[in-house]
Amino acid sequence: MASGKVKSAQAQKAKINLIKAIVIVVLVLCVGGFFVYISGILPRLLTGVKIVENAADGTQTTIENVSVQELNYHFYEVYSMYSMYGMVSKDTLDDPTDPDTEGSQTYREFMYQTAADEVMNSALVRRSSEQYNYESHSGAARYALLQLEGMKSTAQSYGYNSFNQYLQIMYGTGFNASDYRKFSEREAFTQEFENYMKQFILIPSDEEIQAAYDNDPKAYQRADLNYYLFSAEMDADGNYTNLPATVTQANAVMTKVNGGMSFKDAVKAVLEQDAEANADKLASFEDDSVDPTFVSGYSQATAEYQFKEEVANVLFGDDAEPGKAKVVETESGTYVVCLVELSVDETPTVTYRTLTIANDAKNDAEATEAQIADGLAQARAQADSIVATRMDPLGFADAVKQNSTNANEILSGGYVSGDTAASYVGGTSDDDSETVDEAQAAINAQLGSWLFDEARAQGDTLIINSADSSSVTIYYFDNIKPAWMVTARDKITTALVNGWSQDLKANNPSYIINYSLSQFLQY
């Protein structure tokens, strides 16, 4: 009897111990599961999109497995842009993008595909960078750090308890500063390497630019011209009613111009034949110092866009003849056009780089004037030390990436191009574009005078303190070319970059998105 009681007690104790063990296991699983949930471990470890290449024989090679966390980061970036313009909301993500088309993709699918396009391009660009050993030139890590500090300031200004709390509202539970810095750095690397290719690898020589011009000069020429459009009238049904009359008027102008009358006077004379009906049009002809029929600097593309292809042909066609007026009939009226001159734009156009060093004391609300002055002096001393040794353009671009406190300069290497001397005349205040800022105007004049000095040579530098003592900027001179050469250079570079981008996809890259997993872990 006693033995039975002992066995019963032992069984009861074992049962209790089992229950305790089960409770402990459940608690451990719950705590562990909660930790996994809030830490974002699963989105970091699991693949959201696989980037692959597809060979002609059907074999498939994986380029990169991108985590759910990174894919969702890009998804949220795309979503943020579209939601900002009111095109989509969280409630409409699963609505079709084209409700009238059966089987149309949803906004969510579209945004995941856009995000996947971005990460695929980034993977291809990073792989391409390896053959140029670009890693040593990269400033992406500094860029990401600056962006991170900027985001922290934004979170603080919005009153969030922690930076990670702000990030998780932006990008989902478990997203943290380390994730943001990593993904931002990868984005920056892609952008800065593309800029490197444009500025140092895929840029044509002066000889190549000249050859392109010689092959097709009109692609780089600009037209000065006189023109007038006699517009047809439209009836209530939307039909043009007096097209023949517009042809007659245009031909009358053409005859007068080709007979020796000025274009302005010829148009005015034809309009005066019905002065009462054309009173409003004639008003623009009253000022003898202004010719309302004259425009200048039109490229062939501009002429085609502004007028018609037929008008552009009068200006740039093989039979273009300066000084001879021609008539071009269209469905809505008739143009009379007279080419004055075809020429290339010889305006000196500068290319240079900038490196900006912020004076942190200026942004400190409690800093004294002496502290601000000391901060500016330190920034100036740093600038002096950077330019102590003369550098080539790539060397200075590297210096920008290592020292600039301006995130955009890091991405571009401080590259600035396309400015003429007119860009450095005057100065405006930040709060009123009509108000001249005398201090800024003086800085602009100093910079413009230095940039366009005939003695300037590649590698020359100029250091200028900002008017408000908030920063010091180093200006690095690269070159000056006529505007037409800059246009030709940019056109050739664009074509080369497009070709390079296509070459990156030579092996038919594609991606496989894990939609369900990525959405499930998008909490």
Side-chain angles (χ1 to χ4, degrees):
M1 187 72 175
S3 175
K5 289 182 178 180
V6 170
K7 289 181 179 179
S8 177
Q10 290 175 338
Q12 186 71 16
K13 185 177 181 180
K15 185 176 181 181
I16 292 172
N17 289 337
L18 177 61
I19 293 172
K20 288 181 179 179
I22 292 173
V23 170
I24 291 172
V25 169
V26 170
L27 287 174
V28 169
L29 289 175
C30 288
V31 172
F34 179 72
F35 173 76
V36 169
Y37 173 83
I38 65 171
S39 65
I41 290 176
L42 290 179
R44 289 190 191 94
L45 294 179
L46 299 178
T47 298
V49 59
K50 177 189 287 189
I51 312 298
V52 299
E53 283 185 328
N54 305 280
D57 61 3
T59 58
Q60 195 174 79
T61 304
T62 299
I63 299 175
E64 186 175 346
N65 288 315
V66 179
S67 70
V68 170
Q69 192 85 311
E70 185 167 0
L71 178 63
N72 279 340
Y73 164 79
H74 287 279
F75 173 90
Y76 281 120
E77 292 282 283
V78 177
Y79 170 78
S80 177
M81 179 179 66
Y82 279 86
S83 64
M84 181 174 63
Y85 290 104
M87 299 175 67
V88 69
S89 69
K90 290 183 178 179
D91 295 331
T92 60
L93 272 173
D94 294 310
D95 290 352
T97 54
D98 184 1
D100 297 328
T101 302
E102 185 177 354
S104 171
Q105 65 180 174
T106 65
Y107 283 102
R108 188 187 302 276
E109 290 169 337
F110 164 74
M111 290 180 184
Y112 267 124
Q113 289 172 17
T114 303
D117 282 330
E118 291 179 3
V119 296
M120 181 176 75
N121 179 68
S122 181
L124 295 173
V125 169
R126 288 198 306 274
R127 185 175 65 174
S128 175
S129 73
E130 295 172 1
Q131 71 183 90
Y132 296 95
N133 297 315
Y134 179 72
E135 187 72 36
S136 62
H137 299 289
S138 175
R142 285 197 69 244
Y143 173 88
L145 183 60
L146 289 176
Q147 292 295 94
L148 190 66
E149 293 304 314
M151 287 283 280
K152 286 180 179 178
S153 297
T154 300
Q156 187 175 24
S157 67
Y158 285 162
Y160 285 94
N161 295 326
S162 71
F163 180 47
N164 281 346
Q165 180 190 22
Y166 174 70
L167 288 176
Q168 288 172 21
I169 289 174
M170 292 282 292
Y171 301 109
T173 302
F175 198 94
N176 60 30
S178 178
D179 294 322
Y180 181 82
R181 186 172 178 177
K182 175 183 177 182
F183 303 152
S184 180
E185 181 176 341
R186 284 160 71 92
E187 279 186 301
F189 187 92
T190 301
Q191 293 179 53
E192 65 170 359
F193 180 67
E194 289 175 343
N195 287 330
Y196 169 80
M197 293 295 289
K198 293 175 185 177
Q199 296 170 19
F200 295 104
I201 305 300
L202 302 177
I203 189 164
S205 65
D206 287 352
E207 291 74 20
E208 290 170 323
I209 292 173
Q210 186 63 53
Y213 175 83
D214 293 340
N215 184 58
D216 186 12
K218 289 183 179 177
Y220 305 102
Q221 291 175 336
R222 297 293 181 266
D224 295 345
L225 65 140
N226 292 98
Y227 82 96
Y228 194 83
L229 171 62
F230 290 96
S231 299
E233 297 175 358
M234 184 181 291
D235 63 20
D237 297 324
N239 300 313
Y240 292 106
T241 59
N242 65 331
L243 279 171
T246 68
V247 175
T248 299
Q249 290 174 305
N251 278 316
V253 172
M254 179 181 69
T255 300
K256 292 178 183 295
V257 171
N258 292 340
M261 185 180 288
S262 75
F263 196 96
K264 176 184 176 181
D265 289 343
V267 174
K268 184 178 180 182
V270 171
L271 292 175
E272 285 176 338
Q273 292 174 5
D274 191 352
E276 184 176 351
N278 295 320
D280 291 341
K281 298 173 184 176
L282 285 167
S284 63
F285 288 80
E286 292 178 357
D287 188 342
D288 292 337
S289 64
V290 176
D291 185 352
T293 71
F294 179 76
V295 293
S296 63
Y298 275 47
S299 67
Q300 186 169 1
T302 302
E304 290 176 357
Y305 176 79
Q306 184 73 24
F307 309 121
K308 295 284 185 180
E309 183 177 350
E310 294 81 2
V311 174
N313 288 337
V314 170
L315 305 172
F316 295 94
D318 293 337
D319 59 347
E321 186 176 346
K324 184 174 182 179
K326 296 183 180 181
V327 169
V328 177
E329 299 179 31
T330 74
E331 68 278 1
S332 59
T334 307
Y335 285 94
V336 56
V337 184
C338 182
L339 173 64
V340 176
E341 181 184 23
L342 275 180
S343 61
V344 293
D345 188 351
E346 297 284 355
T347 306
T349 304
V350 68
T351 297
Y352 63 96
R353 294 180 185 271
T354 62
L355 191 165
T356 302
I357 303 170
N359 175 10
D360 293 333
K362 180 66 177 179
N363 296 322
D364 185 350
E366 299 180 357
T368 64
E369 290 297 323
Q371 289 171 325
I372 292 174
D374 182 60
L376 188 66
Q378 291 180 35
R380 181 79 184 212
Q382 182 183 353
D384 286 331
S385 67
I386 291 170
V387 301
T389 302
R390 196 175 185 87
M391 291 170 276
D392 63 13
L394 180 57
F396 188 80
D398 287 346
V400 172
K401 294 175 184 297
Q402 295 161 10
N403 296 279
S404 176
T405 56
N406 182 301
N408 290 330
E409 285 183 349
I410 294 174
L411 290 182
S412 67
Y415 186 81
V416 180
S417 182
D419 285 356
T420 64
S423 305
Y424 300 92
V425 177
T428 58
S429 63
D430 293 335
D431 57 348
D432 184 358
S433 61
E434 299 299 322
T435 302
V436 174
D437 184 328
E438 298 295 343
Q440 187 59 51
I443 289 175
N444 289 347
Q446 178 189 4
L447 177 58
S449 176
W450 180 81
L451 286 171
F452 291 92
D453 188 331
E454 292 183 358
R456 214 62 310 117
Q458 186 181 79
D460 288 354
T461 56
L462 173 69
I463 303 174
I464 298 180
N465 297 351
S466 67
D468 62 356
S469 299
S470 63
S471 64
V472 172
T473 300
I474 304 171
Y475 295 90
Y476 174 96
F477 180 83
D478 193 330
N479 63 72
I480 281 184
K481 298 182 185 299
W484 75 265
M485 290 191 73
V486 174
T487 299
R489 179 193 67 193
D490 293 346
K491 183 177 180 179
I492 295 169
T493 297
T494 297
L496 292 173
V497 169
N498 290 339
W500 168 67
S501 297
Q502 290 302 312
D503 290 343
L504 295 181
K505 301 175 182 178
N507 294 324
N508 300 313
S510 61
Y511 48 76
I512 303 165
I513 302 173
N514 194 332
Y515 288 102
S516 56
L517 179 64
S518 298
Q519 182 178 350
F520 176 73
L521 294 176
Q522 199 179 61
Y523 45 77

